[in-house]
Amino acid sequence: MIGDVDRTLVLGLGGTVDYELTWDSSVFDRLAHAHGVRRHELTTTAPIIDERSLLVAVLAFVASGTGAERFVASSEVIEAFVSHFAHTITLGGTGVRAGLVLDALGIPSVQHLVSIDDNVRRLLPESMSYICSATEDTLDPHLIVQYPVGAHVRLTDGDVLSPAPNRLIFANDPPNRRMLLAPDLADALAGAGVFLVSGFNTMQDHDLLELRLAEVRTAMQSLPDDSLVYYEDAGFYTRSFAETVRARLLPQIDVYGMNEDELQEYVGRSVNLLDQSDVIRALHEAQMIIPARALVVHTRYWAIATGPDAGRHRAALDSAVRVAATRYRIGDRLTERDVEETSDLPRHGGGQALVAAVEDALPDAVGVAAFSLDVASPTTVGLGDTFVGGFLAGAVRSRETE
């Protein structure tokens, strides 16, 4: 156990019920042939309105080896698609998955939820209490597709082969789109040492987004002055909404986090994550767009914080990288002992060189290299959320030793 937590960790803003699909190339082969999918049709940008268009989107992302989060026309499309595969029901959402990591490390949390059903009640561990804005039970599952490197799908006119492992999220979740806040959020924040803000990426009504942001700012007035506010970016369904969130919340945010896919969306180009000049340029561009006190970018090779307060978070960065690497190799049932064992594994050489170059070039940057792991069946679902949980665990531990 990391230690006693004097103040509450409040994690939000919305949780999900996830259908984690078990990758099966033979099922994808069958579906691709049944729907007559051809190579030239593969696109990541077309509307997802039925089983076929969902299949096309999955295969397009697999072909590029990238991860993403996309809107689907209805939950019925997800139910129909997942019926072809073996799948596991789990809990998701950045706050919930970060809370599950904290639970594994002996740190309790309070979840802010916008929906509830028996899956949530059954799967939340005892250390994770919750407040919830929902007045009735609902279920709008998120489809999670985790694919391995070398995933192979045969189309009628060619093959799809993934160059890297990654994860995809597909959802139509009205409660998370509305993001109704629980009336007791301000009371919960009054005793909070940490407040995690995430989930605005699923909203699609700009006026409603503005209202929720105003309500969150009001609730945040209850936070103690020394609380840590962590905001995790995500795949915004409407990218311009990310700018609205920054405009309203950035002054209250201590740490602004994002993954490699989101970094590349912000700078508007692909970034070679092991090319020192390319990454330095991208981090500088991202900092110009998002002048956060600490802007954290986490990738498969490294995690780097830039900004005037970045140096305060080196220990939390290291904790985040170790915990995320542990879940990558162990899966959901990681323990603190597993995390300790990860510490003895080798770091990624290219990541180490990259971090050193960035720290030399950007005076306020601090970074940590990822681990060099060779895992037959890695866990890529929720790694970003796991990183957040590891970061918050590291922040709690750092405060306890001050």
Side-chain angles (χ1 to χ4, degrees), residues 351-375:
Q352 288 178 313
L354 189 288
V355 167
V358 170
E359 290 183 339
D360 284 343
L362 303 177
D364 60 2
V366 298
V368 176
F371 290 86
S372 181
L373 302 175
D374 184 9
V375 180

Side-chain angles (χ1 to χ4, degrees), residues 254-271:
D254 297 301
V255 180
Y256 191 115
M258 69 177 67
N259 67 19
E260 60 201 64
D261 297 319
E262 290 135 22
L263 171 67
Q264 291 172 111
E265 284 192 30
Y266 275 117
V267 301
R269 59 185 174 82
S270 62
V271 178

Side-chain angles (χ1 to χ4, degrees), residues 322-396:
R322 283 187 289 112
V323 173
T326 304
R327 187 163 183 272
Y328 181 87
R329 68 185 187 86
I330 298 292
D332 286 329
R333 297 184 178 182
L334 66 88
T335 66
E336 186 176 357
R337 170 169 231 155
D338 294 325
V339 175
E340 292 170 356
E341 291 174 354
T342 297
S343 301
D344 296 328
L345 298 176
R347 301 277 180 164
H348 190 281
Q352 288 178 313
L354 189 288
V355 167
V358 170
E359 290 183 339
D360 284 343
L362 303 177
D364 60 2
V366 298
V368 176
F371 290 86
S372 181
L373 302 175
D374 184 9
V375 180
S377 299
T379 299
T380 57
V381 175
L383 279 185
D385 305 334
T386 302
F387 178 94
V388 173
F391 188 101
L392 298 182
V396 168

Side-chain angles (χ1 to χ4, degrees), residues 7-62:
R7 300 227 302 269
T8 309
L9 286 77
V10 179
L11 313 180
L13 290 166
T16 66
V17 173
D18 292 349
Y19 289 174
E20 292 191 23
L21 179 148
T22 301
W23 181 267
D24 188 332
S25 291
S26 66
V27 178
F28 277 104
D29 289 349
R30 176 170 58 78
L31 289 175
H33 281 267
H35 287 291
V37 177
R38 296 181 176 274
R39 285 279 313 181
H40 74 274
E41 295 181 275
L42 300 187
T43 176
T44 61
T45 58
I48 300 172
I49 59 173
D50 53 21
E51 182 177 277
R52 189 181 194 279
S53 54
L54 176 53
L55 174 65
V56 167
V58 170
L59 295 179
F61 282 114
V62 170

Side-chain angles (χ1 to χ4, degrees), residues 219-236:
M220 290 173 68
Q221 292 175 6
S222 299
L223 281 168
D225 291 341
D226 61 345
S227 295
L228 175 73
V229 177
Y230 188 115
Y231 174 80
E232 181 69 4
D233 202 297
F236 273 78

Side-chain angles (χ1 to χ4, degrees), residues 170-221:
F170 301 94
N172 184 323
D173 190 335
N176 274 284
R177 286 206 303 279
R178 288 192 295 270
M179 200 58 73
L180 181 65
L181 300 186
D184 43 355
L185 175 59
D187 290 341
L189 293 180
V194 170
F195 182 34
L196 169 63
V197 181
S198 65
F200 286 122
N201 61 301
T202 63
M203 296 189 70
Q204 295 179 313
D205 181 315
H206 192 266
D207 290 341
L208 188 58
L209 174 65
E210 289 277 20
L211 175 61
R212 296 294 181 253
L213 290 169
E215 292 171 344
V216 167
R217 288 202 310 273
T218 298
M220 290 173 68
Q221 292 175 6

